[in-house]
Amino acid sequence: MSKRNRQIKLFDRELVGTAIRQSVIKLNPVLMIKNPVMFTVELSTAVMLLVSLYQLSTGDSSQGALWYNLTIFLILLLTVLFANFAEALAEARGKAQAESLRKTREETPAKKAKKSNGSFVESGEIVSSSSLHLGDYFVCTAGDIIPMDGEIVEGIATIDESAITGESAPVIREGGGDRSSVTGGTKVLSDRIVVEVTSQPGESFLEKMIALVEGASRQKTPNEIALTILLAAFTLIFVIVCVTLKPFADYAHTPITIAAFIALFVCLIPTTIGGLLSAIGIAGMDRALRANVIAKSGKAVETAGDVDVLLLDKTGTITIGNRKATHFYPAPGETESDFVKLCALSSLADETPEGKSILELAGKDSVLSVQKLSGGASMIKFTAETRTSGITLSNGTEIRKGAYDAIRNISDKAGKLFPPLMDTKVREISANGGTPLVVAENGQVAGVIELQDIIKPGISERFARLRKMGVKTVMVTGDNPLTAKYIAEKAGVDDFIAEAKPEDKMNYIRKEQADGKLVAMMGDGTNDAPALAQADVGVSMNSGTQAAKEAGNMVDLDNDPTKLIEVVEIGKQLLITRGTLTTFSIANDVAKYFAIVPALFIASIPALQSLNIMGLKSPETAILSAIIFNAIIIPMLIPLALKGVQYRPIGASALLRRNLLIYGLGGIIAPFIGIKIIDILLGMFM
């Protein structure tokens, strides 16, 4: 599934057609009762239908003209259909996303494997992907589609994950690390891997995604439930208001028709937000998907909008991943060119990322020249025990590179003096958050190589943006406090945890949660899984281990550790959209009150003339204008509900003032203008 395919048009012809059909199906009272506000509107519609049918059969005109009551009925029916359309359109967008995912999940042949003499071999059995079970092994080679989710247990391969992530650039996956997870439906481009199945049939990551995106697993969030209860309470209040209006009308000798009562009731209850509430929630998950984040629940997206603290791993998250060589510092009496050659020679056998970065810094020319010298030489590979690597040339010259204390021991044994200047340089590099590697020739120190964590470009700006949102960033690292402090300051995080163990992350999260704060955690390793599960928002990398993906409640398909910024913005956007449209809906009621109530009583109670600020033509046009506006405002706000109100990191108070001004004041002014225009148009025909 490409990103382009996921950018579904707001009012795509096919989606609109599906939504229209679903709008009618959703008229089923069993489905409608889940939305108390719109259910009462549906009941009101049914009452108006009965009134119209009664008039049609008896010719009774005591409840107003037949055409008038039929018009009220049709407008109310459209109001319900428009609300259903908003929800159905949001659901249709989700189903369209799911369909594009489903295309990637086809039956795939799987080459089963078995363990023999400590290694895996093909069993010769080829089975369907649907018949693979938890714990089975299968082999994939270049050109194969991975049949099922799993963990690589042997081999390394280049994988095309564009079917899932939309990114065409291949990624490398290998066994034994935090990048061992593979997803069913992706394609192997090179090499050979053996994979252990980590999910049962029907429970794969992709299948769970489809169910979630499709809306089958969607449940109302606590915020949404609370708002539904609030809207139901508003509805009940206006039921009481309309019921008590009848005795007042009788006292004032003002006959009020059933149509007028129902119109007043429908216009006063918060139908606008009631009709759009479900669409807003579904659209929140849809926006998360378009940001390449799979949210396992609507609650996770919503919670992200209220996050106070964000925990981030240093390596691969804040830094590029592996330390890189940044400087060569030759010892006194050593030329820079000679020292660079020694560095290159000592790194020829070093397969670590750091060793490769030294060769990269040395340059192509230096590497080519020293490769000629390495003929007949004995290569010394880096090991964790020796903490050194190097080469012994054919003439017996020993060149070693390694940690300060390891090379110091070699130098002392050779009876060579460790240069004081180099000693100072080692301490200086360490103080700046770097790692010093010392190079020696026959025990004589030749110089120092500086390795540094490379901070990801633009990350400090991203953290500044999070700070404006009120989110505190905390870096978690196994580094010593001195190095951690340096990187934290350079990256612009608010706090750090140095020499961190898995339990330290857990304790920090629990401590913040005990203070009433919501915590987000990002990680990709199995060691991150407990913290991801404990956090209120746990975002795991798609490239990470299966344990991490299962523990989190969101999965980032792009493996971008700063993606949480977008997730937080989507969460805040969801909450703000719901709040602003609720404000708009309630503000609307003020204008509709001034349209209908004076029109009903002005003839009997002339003193109410001062409330008739709209100057509407007649009670009939006033009521029709109000309910027509009430109906058409719902489809007009559908784009806003689906796209969301734009979030700006300007602080909660400033944001509240801005939204109250736009949607509160706008919600009062817009109906006054809209109802007046509709009244003028109706006046031409009535």
Side-chain angles (χ1 to χ4, degrees):
M1 176 183 59
S2 69
K3 285 184 177 178
R4 181 174 50 81
N5 290 338
R6 257 198 320 272
Q7 300 296 332
I8 300 165
K9 290 180 182 176
L10 196 62
F11 289 103
D12 182 90
R13 185 181 294 178
E14 193 175 327
L15 298 189
V16 169
T18 305
I20 289 170
R21 289 193 297 275
Q22 285 298 313
S23 302
V24 179
I25 294 168
K26 286 176 178 288
L27 290 173
N28 183 344
V30 176
L31 301 173
M32 286 296 296
I33 202 165
K34 294 175 184 177
N35 188 338
V37 176
M38 298 315 299
F39 180 66
T40 58
V41 178
E42 186 175 47
L43 288 178
S44 301
T45 308
V47 170
M48 286 311 303
L49 177 63
L50 292 173
V51 170
S52 300
L53 291 172
Y54 172 78
Q55 282 190 294
L56 192 64
S57 61
T58 63
D60 185 8
S61 60
S62 62
Q63 293 298 322
L66 176 62
W67 70 267
Y68 176 73
N69 288 325
L70 278 172
T71 305
I72 297 285
F73 160 71
L74 290 170
I75 295 169
L76 291 178
L77 180 62
L78 282 173
T79 305
V80 180
L81 288 171
F82 286 154
N84 288 350
F85 177 80
E87 183 177 7
L89 185 62
E91 288 175 350
R93 282 163 65 83
K95 283 182 168 65
Q97 305 276 24
E99 193 56 39
S100 58
L101 285 172
R102 193 173 277 111
K103 288 174 183 175
T104 70
R105 194 70 187 102
E106 298 170 353
E107 284 294 302
T108 308
K111 295 177 281 190
K112 290 192 76 172
K114 60 183 181 181
K115 203 165 187 177
S116 177
N117 298 323
S119 63
F120 292 91
V121 294
E122 288 187 43
S123 64
E125 186 183 357
I126 298 177
V127 298
S128 169
S129 57
S130 60
S131 65
L132 289 171
H133 293 87
L134 186 70
D136 286 349
Y137 297 96
F138 61 84
V139 176
C140 282
T141 53
D144 290 347
I145 301 294
I146 296 172
M148 185 69 85
D149 292 1
E151 296 269 356
I152 299 173
V153 293
E154 186 179 277
I156 180 171
T158 309
I159 312 274
D160 175 9
E161 294 187 346
S162 59
I164 307 296
T165 67
E167 293 293 344
S168 56
V171 294
I172 295 172
R173 296 285 177 262
E174 61 182 315
D178 288 345
R179 300 200 176 259
S180 60
S181 173
V182 291
T183 306
T186 58
K187 187 178 183 180
V188 178
L189 299 179
S190 70
D191 303 290
R192 174 185 180 272
I193 52 172
V194 179
V195 182
E196 181 182 2
V197 177
T198 55
S199 60
Q200 295 286 7
E203 295 179 3
S204 71
F205 176 61
L206 197 58
E207 283 158 336
K208 287 177 183 176
M209 278 168 55
I210 292 166
L212 289 161
V213 174
E214 210 166 21
S217 303
R218 185 184 175 271
Q219 294 179 331
K220 283 190 175 182
T221 65
N223 185 284
E224 201 172 342
I225 292 167
L227 191 52
T228 302
I229 293 168
L230 178 67
L231 298 181
F234 267 116
T235 304
L236 183 62
I237 288 166
F238 286 115
V239 166
I240 297 167
V241 167
C242 291
V243 168
T244 55
L245 203 61
K246 176 67 174 162
F248 285 109
D250 290 344
Y251 179 78
H253 304 291
T254 305
I256 300 178
T257 63
I258 294 171
F261 272 120
I262 285 176
L264 179 65
F265 170 69
V266 169
C267 287
L268 289 183
I269 65 173
T271 49
T272 308
I273 184 64
L276 297 171
L277 188 59
S278 295
I280 294 166
I282 297 166
M285 291 185 71
D286 182 59
R287 282 196 295 276
L289 180 65
R290 281 184 278 130
N292 253 15
V293 175
I294 300 297
K296 295 183 181 180
S297 70
K299 184 185 175 183
V301 180
E302 200 170 88
T303 305
D306 285 328
V307 161
D308 301 291
V309 182
L310 166 61
L311 263 67
L312 300 130
D313 271 337
K314 185 207 74 176
T315 307
T317 303
I318 293 169
T319 62
I320 285 174
N322 298 299
R323 297 187 170 200
K324 289 195 172 184
T326 54
H327 287 98
F328 294 129
Y329 297 103
E334 193 82 34
T335 66
E336 187 166 344
S337 60
D338 287 344
F339 178 58
V340 169
K341 286 179 181 178
L342 289 174
C343 293
L345 275 168
S346 64
S347 302
L348 288 175
D350 188 356
E351 294 294 325
T352 65
E354 289 85 357
K356 291 174 182 176
S357 80
I358 292 168
L359 293 176
E360 191 180 313
L361 185 64
K364 196 174 182 180
D365 293 339
S366 293
V367 174
L368 287 171
S369 67
V370 299
Q371 281 176 337
K372 294 175 183 176
L373 298 172
S374 63
S378 174
M379 300 290 185
I380 312 297
K381 291 189 176 183
F382 176 85
T383 65
E385 287 79 23
T386 63
R387 294 165 69 203
T388 61
S389 64
I391 189 170
T392 302
L393 300 177
S394 54
N395 63 8
T397 302
E398 293 183 351
I399 302 164
R400 298 289 183 269
K401 176 200 76 201
Y404 166 73
D405 54 348
I407 300 298
R408 181 108 201 194
N409 286 335
I410 292 171
S411 180
D412 290 345
K413 284 179 183 176
K416 305 287 184 179
L417 179 69
F418 200 102
L421 189 64
M422 292 294 97
D423 211 28
T424 304
K425 184 57 70 175
V426 165
R427 286 197 295 272
E428 195 179 290
I429 293 169
S430 299
N432 286 336
T435 300
L437 292 179
V438 184
V439 179
E441 183 180 8
N442 293 325
Q444 182 63 54
V445 173
V448 178
I449 305 168
E450 182 180 6
L451 300 178
Q452 280 287 356
D453 279 300
I454 308 299
I455 307 289
K456 289 186 175 181
I459 200 147
S460 58
E461 289 80 6
R462 284 182 165 247
F463 289 147
R465 188 169 175 83
L466 278 168
R467 199 171 295 111
K468 284 183 180 177
M469 294 179 192
V471 179
K472 177 185 175 184
T473 50
V474 181
M475 182 184 79
V476 183
T477 178
D479 288 336
N480 63 74
L482 194 67
T483 302
K485 184 173 183 291
Y486 177 83
I487 294 167
E489 288 173 355
K490 201 171 175 183
V493 295
D494 300 307
D495 198 3
F496 64 90
I497 305 170
E499 298 175 343
K501 299 179 288 293
E503 57 267 28
D504 294 333
K505 298 176 192 176
M506 291 284 289
N507 293 336
Y508 191 92
I509 293 170
R510 285 169 179 161
K511 176 177 161 290
E512 293 289 345
Q513 288 173 334
D515 292 337
K517 294 176 180 176
L518 295 179
V519 182
M521 166 76 191
M522 297 197 75
D524 59 359
T526 301
N527 65 320
D528 295 322
L532 286 168
Q534 180 67 39
D536 301 284
V537 178
V539 184
S540 60
M541 306 296 154
N542 189 43
S543 62
T545 62
Q546 196 68 25
K549 286 159 72 173
E550 289 293 333
N553 49 23
M554 288 190 189
V555 178
D556 175 23
L557 301 179
D558 290 334
N559 307 308
D560 177 5
T562 61
K563 182 65 69 67
L564 195 81
I565 294 171
E566 288 178 63
V567 175
V568 169
E569 287 188 341
I570 290 166
K572 288 187 181 294
Q573 193 181 41
L574 175 63
L575 293 170
I576 290 166
T577 302
R578 203 176 279 154
T580 51
L581 288 182
T582 303
T583 303
F584 185 88
S585 180
I586 294 169
N588 262 232
D589 297 339
V590 176
K592 288 176 282 192
Y593 176 88
F594 279 101
I596 296 177
V597 173
L600 290 176
F601 291 97
I602 202 163
S604 307
I605 311 173
L608 290 177
Q609 182 64 46
S610 58
L611 293 178
N612 189 24
I613 55 181
M614 290 192 196
L616 302 179
K617 187 178 179 183
S618 68
E620 287 79 13
T621 62
I623 288 168
L624 282 175
S625 300
I627 64 166
I628 289 171
F629 179 85
N630 194 65
I632 64 173
I633 197 67
I634 294 175
M636 287 175 71
L637 290 172
I638 287 174
L640 186 65
L642 296 183
K643 284 186 174 180
V645 176
Q646 188 180 359
Y647 170 73
R648 291 184 174 90
I650 57 177
S653 300
L655 200 64
L656 183 62
R657 283 196 300 271
R658 178 180 174 272
N659 289 336
L660 281 174
L661 182 66
I662 297 172
Y663 297 97
L665 190 61
I668 293 173
I669 295 170
F672 274 94
I673 299 169
I675 289 169
K676 184 63 181 178
I677 292 170
I678 296 168
D679 182 75
I680 293 168
L681 294 172
L682 289 174
M684 296 176 181
F685 306 99
M686 292 175 66

